[in-house]
Each structure stands twice: as structure tokens, then as C-alpha cells.
Amino acid sequence: MSAKAISEQTGKEFLYKHICTTSAVQNRFRYANVTAATNWEQLAHDHPWLLTERLVVKPDQLIKRRGKLGLVGVNLDLQGVKEWLKPRLMKEATVGKAKGILKNFLIEPFVAHKQEEEFYVCIYAAREGDYVLFHHEGGVDVGDVDSKAQKLLVGVDEKLRPDSVKQKLLTHAPADKREVLTSFLVGLFNLYEDLYFTYLEINPLVVTKNGVYVLDMAAKIDATADYLCKAKWGDVEFPPPFGREAYPEEAYISDLDAKSGASLKLTLLNPRGRIWTMVAGGGASVVYSDTICDLGGVNELANYGEYSGAPSEQQTYDYAKTILSLMTREKHPNGKVLIIGGSIANFTNVAATFKGIVRAIRDYQEPLKEHEVTIFVRRGGPNYQEGLRVMGEVGKTTGIPIHVFGTETHMTAIVGMALGHRPIATQPRVAAHTANFLLNTSGNSSNSAALRGQSFSEGLSLKSHCVGSKASCSLQHAIRCQLSSAVQ
């Protein structure tokens, strides 16, 4: 599951289009988007209610608690909205520790209501199922809802039943609103499941005599369900978190990923950072990033991403050159480090993927030297000896400091070396041959004996490694260990 946040406008569009409930959901599709390029005359023509109703305006950039931050304009006419936006649109704002430009706003009709008509509802995914939270008080002062909201777990493959809603969630809700709330909550949960939401929060949810109003919404969906929900979702945009810009390089890698059976991911965290990673494997990418943060490199970590699923040499080249291009745009006074890491691959051809990375390093050798980049490599898996050999050779021929390590080195040990927390270990000689572990039973007997001896020695080495580190013992290692026993 890949939970990605969507804009409030997108979330409400999903709800208005697809919710099935007997409750009267008001203000369907009554929202207008404003950016620096907005033509106000055209906007009023497309949304005539802007000229006749009182309005609410707020940024739609994944910012929570906008009301407390003074980022919501309430009960304004259209001219008032324009005046309210003047000191805010395309201006920098600080939200917590994040600084960003306010550039996308949402205008909706103002809903006059009483405090007792506000409610809170949230649905989120957990391993054991989906939790539904409801509180009979909503709004900006709702406080710690986790501790005071009514909570109901809906197990995997179960449905939210109306009787459960009434008995478990609406015990403190006004009696005259329970039927409306029950129908809406059941419909909302069905929508949540059908459109593969992973998180859906409405605060406040307003219920008046006229019906239900969804005032503020925050939502995430499972991005990997695109092939199931394409017809309902349409083309979904996943905006970056506030304070982080969307980069064309991220879109480029996302496009490569969409066209490949392999996995190629890239997120830029700090383009000016000195610590860059190119990690094989989703799990390994988390381990490397956590290790960098644990060793004090959180503020210098430039990117997060991974390549896996046996990408071709060309795909790895395209991925690597994108990262090298980004890291050689701005110099750092202490130079930069590139960590090319991974655990022990099961089926990815390490030699092929490393050849793609080597091509990219050769193409960017001058910028890499100019920006004083040092590269640390650690990898294991099919043909890893050949991959490490070509990686070591490119360091010698280009003059770029490249430190190469195989399975004899702990997976994240190179992080400490790269960050200067431990000395750079002496690199062992990398064998020029690949890991041939299938025995040749035909041909010259001396050649067969040599092969058996090679397989035996490799098998013993790998067997001892597996015993010492069972967690990293891949299928390839298990096969080699078994073959070494057969040779004995």
C-alpha cells in the first residue's frame, strides 16, 4: 500500500460524485480553484454563485489547522475574497517548521450554522481493519479526538452496519440527527472502501435542517489501486507536502516507473543537501535513510528513493543520471557523498544494473569531480562480483573516489564511513569472475574439478555468511550452500 495525500478539492470531488446516502449532501461541486494565473471574470462566469453568495476562502496545499493559523477567510463577498488573497497569494508562509509559497486556494459557499451542529468524523486504515472515529463536537477546537472520540473497528472484509453506528458511535449525538448521521457515515465508509482511501477526515461535518455539509476534508488514497479505480478516480494529482516543491525530475522518474515492470522512485527532500542515495530495494531504502538520520544526517539528506524489480541497464542509467544531474547543480563547502547501497538481491542482475550506473558516472565524471563527490558502494546478489569490479574500475579510470564493498561488509556500514563517523575500511580484492555455482558435469575432467573446487570454496564462504546472518540469506545463498554440501 502506498498512501498518498490528495488535495481537499480532489477529495470532495470523489465524495460528491460517488457517495451513496439518503442524507441530503449540500453544496455538491460548488468550489472554485484560485491560483496566480486565475482570470477572475472567467472564474465568475464558470461559477455564478460566486457573485451571489457569501464565501469562504482557504489554501488547498495539504495544510492542517488552517483556521488556527489565520489561513481561512470567512463570510466574504467576491471582492472581499480578492482583498483577503492580496497579502497571501504567492507569498511565503510558515506552518510549523515548514516554509512554503501559498499558491493554490479554494473558494466555497459560506455555511451559517451553530456550534452544536458541528461534528467530527475520521476513517483510517490499520493492519487489523479500518477504524471509524466520531465525536459529537467538531471544529477548530475539537482537541485530542483520539482520546475522546467514539471509536469502532471494522474488520477486514466486514461492512459498517447502521446498528453498529448507532450503538457504538452516535451515543452522544443529538437524537434528531442520528438517522441522518447514520446514513451518511455508512455511505462515507462504503465510499472510503470503494475508492481505496486509506485516510478520510471531515472536520467539521455540519448537519442542519437542510442536510449535510462537508466543510473541511483531509484525505489519502492508496496510489497502488490506480488500475482498479482509474474509471472513478480519473487522472489524480498528488500534491507535494507544504514546504516542498514538485520537481520535474520526480515526474520524470514517476513516468519511467509507470512504463516499467520494475520499481523506480524518487523524492527530493533537500536539493542543497550533501548526502545523496541510490538504493536498491524499498526496504533497504528505508534502512539506509533511517541510518543516515540516526547518525545526524537528517538535515543534509537530499533525496529518498529506490530502484528494484530487476530494472534494465538502460532504466538504471536513466535513473542514475537523473540523480547525478541533481546533485551536481550546486556545490557544497564540504563536498558531497553518494551512497549506492542495497542488501543481497534475489533476482536482480547486479552487474547489469551497475553497468547502467557506471555509464551515468562516466557521463558526469567532470561535474562529479568538480563538486568533490565521493561514492560509497555496498551490494550483494547475482553477479555482484562483476558489478563491484566494474564499479571499482570506473573509479580508477575517472579519478572519482569510489569505495566498493560486498557482502563481507554490513549493509549500512558504508553510511558511517560516508558521514565520517568511522574510518573507511580497507577494500578487499573483488574477484573478476561472477558467482558460478552450477556444476559442469561434462567436458574436461580437470576443468570440472576446477569448477567443483571454485563452487566448493564459494559455497563454504557463503554458507558461513548465511549462518552468521540468517536475515540476509537470500534464495541464491541457500542454493549455493546446498550445492557446497553436495560437493562435500
Side-chain angles (χ1 to χ4, degrees), residues 31-32 88 101 125 224 286 290 474:
Y31 43 72
R88 295 175 176 85
I101 303 298
T224 60
V286 174
D290 282 352
S474 66

Side-chain angles (χ1 to χ4, degrees), residues 302-461:
N303 69 308
Y304 174 79
E306 60 101 9
Y307 67 93
S308 60
S312 67
E313 178 182 333
Q314 182 61 41
Q315 290 168 337
T316 313
Y317 168 76
D318 292 335
Y319 183 80
K321 73 175 184 180
T322 302
I323 292 178
L324 298 184
S325 170
L326 287 164
M327 73 180 299
T328 55
R329 292 181 185 176
E330 188 171 333
K331 289 186 177 181
H332 193 284
N334 299 323
K336 296 184 179 182
V337 295
L338 173 62
I339 297 172
I340 302 176
S343 58
I344 301 174
N346 288 324
F347 58 88
T348 296
N349 187 331
V350 176
T353 56
F354 270 19
K355 285 179 181 177
I357 296 173
V358 163
R359 281 175 53 199
I361 291 174
R362 290 190 187 279
D363 288 350
Y364 280 86
Q365 58 182 295
E366 293 306 322
L368 288 171
K369 287 189 284 188
E370 182 182 346
H371 286 75
E372 301 180 76
V373 175
T374 303
I375 300 175
F376 293 83
V377 182
R378 191 275 184 190
R379 195 72 169 105
N383 295 326
Y384 82 93
Q385 296 101 325
E386 177 64 13
L388 296 180
R389 184 189 66 80
V390 298
M391 193 68 76
E393 287 297 322
V394 75
K396 296 175 182 177
T397 57
T398 61
I400 299 169
I402 301 179
H403 305 280
V404 180
F405 303 92
T407 55
E408 77 290 336
T409 302
H410 187 275
M411 187 173 86
T412 57
I414 60 172
V415 177
M417 301 179 201
L419 272 59
H421 291 284
R422 59 187 296 178
I424 300 174
T426 303
Q427 301 172 54
R429 184 180 65 85
V430 178
H433 62 277
T434 58
N436 298 313
F437 56 85
L438 296 179
L439 301 182
N440 183 1
T441 56
S442 62
N444 186 285
S445 58
S446 60
N447 288 342
S448 298
L451 283 170
R452 284 196 297 272
Q454 176 181 308
S455 298
F456 175 69
S457 61
E458 288 180 354
L460 285 179
S461 174

Side-chain angles (χ1 to χ4, degrees), residues 93-298:
T94 301
V95 179
K97 295 182 179 180
K99 289 185 179 181
I101 303 298
L102 297 172
K103 54 186 178 181
N104 190 63
F105 287 80
L106 194 64
I107 306 176
E108 295 178 299
F110 170 70
V111 179
H113 62 277
K114 302 174 183 177
Q115 177 64 41
E116 57 265 26
E117 294 174 324
E118 292 186 346
F119 303 94
Y120 174 91
V121 60
C122 180
I123 310 173
Y124 64 89
R127 181 179 294 275
E128 58 271 23
D130 298 290
Y131 283 96
V132 184
L133 274 66
F134 178 84
H135 191 50
H136 61 283
E137 297 176 345
V140 294
D141 297 319
V142 65
D144 183 11
V145 289
D146 285 333
S147 63
K148 58 186 180 182
Q150 302 298 109
K151 184 181 292 187
L152 175 63
L153 172 63
V154 183
V156 178
D157 293 331
E158 294 181 3
K159 291 293 183 182
L160 182 64
R161 301 192 309 273
D163 58 332
S164 298
V165 172
K166 293 176 182 178
Q167 295 170 11
K168 302 290 183 63
L169 297 176
L170 303 182
T171 53
H172 300 297
D176 61 334
K177 291 182 171 60
R178 289 182 185 175
E179 288 299 327
V180 172
L181 284 167
T182 297
S183 177
F184 181 80
L185 291 177
V186 170
L188 187 69
F189 184 84
N190 292 336
L191 168 83
Y192 167 93
E193 282 197 322
D194 292 343
L195 271 69
Y196 284 77
F197 281 86
T198 62
Y199 181 87
L200 203 170
E201 180 188 51
I202 301 174
N203 181 38
L205 172 69
V206 171
V207 181
T208 70
K209 62 181 180 179
N210 297 323
V212 176
Y213 297 84
V214 178
L215 296 197
D216 282 347
M217 174 188 282
K220 296 179 182 180
I221 57 176
D222 182 357
T224 60
D226 180 71
Y227 74 103
L228 293 171
C229 300
K230 184 68 174 180
K232 293 181 179 179
W233 285 357
D235 295 324
V236 182
E237 290 188 8
F238 298 104
F242 181 75
R244 191 176 68 79
E245 297 298 318
Y247 294 91
E249 290 80 7
E250 294 174 330
Y252 172 69
I253 295 300
S254 179
D255 185 59
L256 288 180
D257 178 68
K259 295 176 181 177
S260 168
S263 175
L264 301 167
K265 302 291 188 293
L266 176 63
T267 299
L268 283 175
L269 304 174
N270 175 16
R272 295 182 176 86
R274 67 178 297 265
I275 305 168
W276 293 74
T277 64
M278 199 183 305
V279 179
S285 66
V286 174
V287 172
Y288 273 94
S289 296
D290 282 352
T291 305
I292 291 169
C293 294
D294 285 344
L295 294 179
V298 62

